[in-house]
């Protein structure tokens, strides 16, 4: 076998193994992120308006592998208009054991879809929505997230404390 072809073959096999290992690691980190997100009772939503950030505690629904976040809100709330003007949002989830967090960066939209609103509804919200026609869904599509988990030894940079960032496809 030609030496050049042999070296090329070894390099190719090395690259396949490296890519496969990186993808497995990314999938493992995504699983840990979902564990933290779905164990969090509440989340913190941040929107932007006129160069100011606005943050509030939210009651989110369970997040699936697609990393789409659903939250309920009132159609007259400030966050609805803020999202319509600038759909870039951050959602922060703190682990129940206070040993890690996930911060989601994504794009939000407001939905009035009846089927989705029925699917993402909590019975104890009746007291907040006597006029259910004002109920809207905030749908956040995650573009990337930062994660820290002491439990799984996912830590930030020792000097800058920068958290690992996962970019979703």
């Amino acid at each position: 076998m030609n030496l050049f072809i042999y070296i090329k073959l070894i390099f190719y096999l090395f690259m396949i193994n490296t890519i496969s290992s990186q993808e497995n690691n990314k999938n493992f980190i995504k699983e840990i992120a979902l564990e933290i997100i779905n164990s969090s009772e509440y989340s913190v939503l941040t929107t932007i308006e006129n160069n100011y950030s606005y943050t509030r505690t939210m009651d989110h629904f369970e997040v699936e592998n697609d990393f789409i976040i659903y939250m309920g809100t009132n159609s007259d709330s400030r966050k609805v208009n803020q999202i319509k003007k600038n759909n870039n949002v951050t959602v922060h989830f703190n682990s129940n054991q206070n040993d890690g967090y996930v911060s989601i960066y994504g794009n939000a939209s407001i939905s009035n879809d009846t089927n989705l609103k029925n699917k993402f509804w909590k019975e104890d919200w009746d007291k907040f929505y006597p006029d259910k026609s004002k109920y809207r869904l905030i749908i956040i599509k995650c573009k990337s997230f930062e994660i820290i988990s002491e439990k799984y030894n996912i830590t930030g940079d020792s000097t800058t404390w920068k958290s690992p960032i996962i970019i979703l496809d």
Side-chain angles (χ1 to χ4, degrees):
M1 181 183 279
N2 181 327
L3 181 61
F4 177 73
I5 293 173
Y6 182 71
I7 292 171
K8 198 172 177 181
L9 178 63
I10 290 173
F11 178 74
Y12 178 72
L13 291 172
F14 173 76
M15 290 304 296
I16 288 175
N17 187 43
T18 300
I19 290 169
S20 176
S21 176
Q22 287 173 346
E23 192 59 35
N24 287 339
N25 190 41
K26 182 177 177 180
N27 287 336
F28 180 65
I29 292 172
K30 286 168 67 175
E31 288 176 23
I32 294 166
L34 287 173
E35 179 183 311
I36 292 170
I37 290 168
N38 289 325
S39 71
S40 300
E41 187 173 353
Y42 297 102
S43 52
V44 178
L45 172 67
T46 302
T47 55
I48 305 291
E49 182 178 43
N50 299 325
N51 294 323
Y52 289 99
S53 58
Y54 296 88
T55 302
R56 72 280 286 162
T57 302
M58 298 291 292
D59 189 358
H60 61 277
F61 289 89
E62 184 170 335
V63 178
E64 303 287 331
N65 291 334
D66 58 9
F67 278 81
I68 296 176
I69 301 164
Y70 295 90
M71 301 173 166
T73 192
N74 184 307
S75 60
D76 296 329
S77 72
R78 291 179 302 151
K79 63 186 139 319
V80 169
N81 287 325
Q82 291 165 346
I83 288 169
K84 287 179 179 177
K85 291 177 188 174
N86 182 345
N87 71 345
N88 296 307
V89 298
T90 301
V91 184
H92 183 82
F93 304 86
N94 200 53
S95 72
N96 280 349
Q97 295 78 26
N98 202 29
D99 64 351
Y101 67 85
V102 174
S103 289
I104 299 273
Y105 306 104
N107 301 117
S109 61
I110 307 299
S111 176
N112 193 24
D113 180 282
T114 303
N115 291 330
L116 280 176
K117 291 192 317 181
N118 287 334
K119 180 178 178 180
F120 296 102
W121 174 258
K122 297 182 180 184
E123 291 304 319
D124 60 335
W125 286 355
D126 287 332
K127 60 186 171 199
F128 300 113
Y129 297 95
D131 178 4
K132 198 172 174 183
S133 69
K134 292 190 173 280
Y135 176 62
R136 297 291 184 274
L137 272 179
I138 300 172
I139 303 172
I140 300 161
K141 295 185 178 174
C142 176
K143 300 294 183 189
S144 64
F145 65 85
E146 289 186 36
I147 183 170
I148 292 290
S149 173
E150 291 176 21
K151 177 179 175 181
Y152 292 103
N153 200 30
I154 300 172
T155 59
D157 180 90
S158 62
T159 304
T160 66
W161 294 6
K162 182 176 174 144
S163 309
I165 297 176
I166 301 296
I167 298 172
L168 300 179
D169 305 322

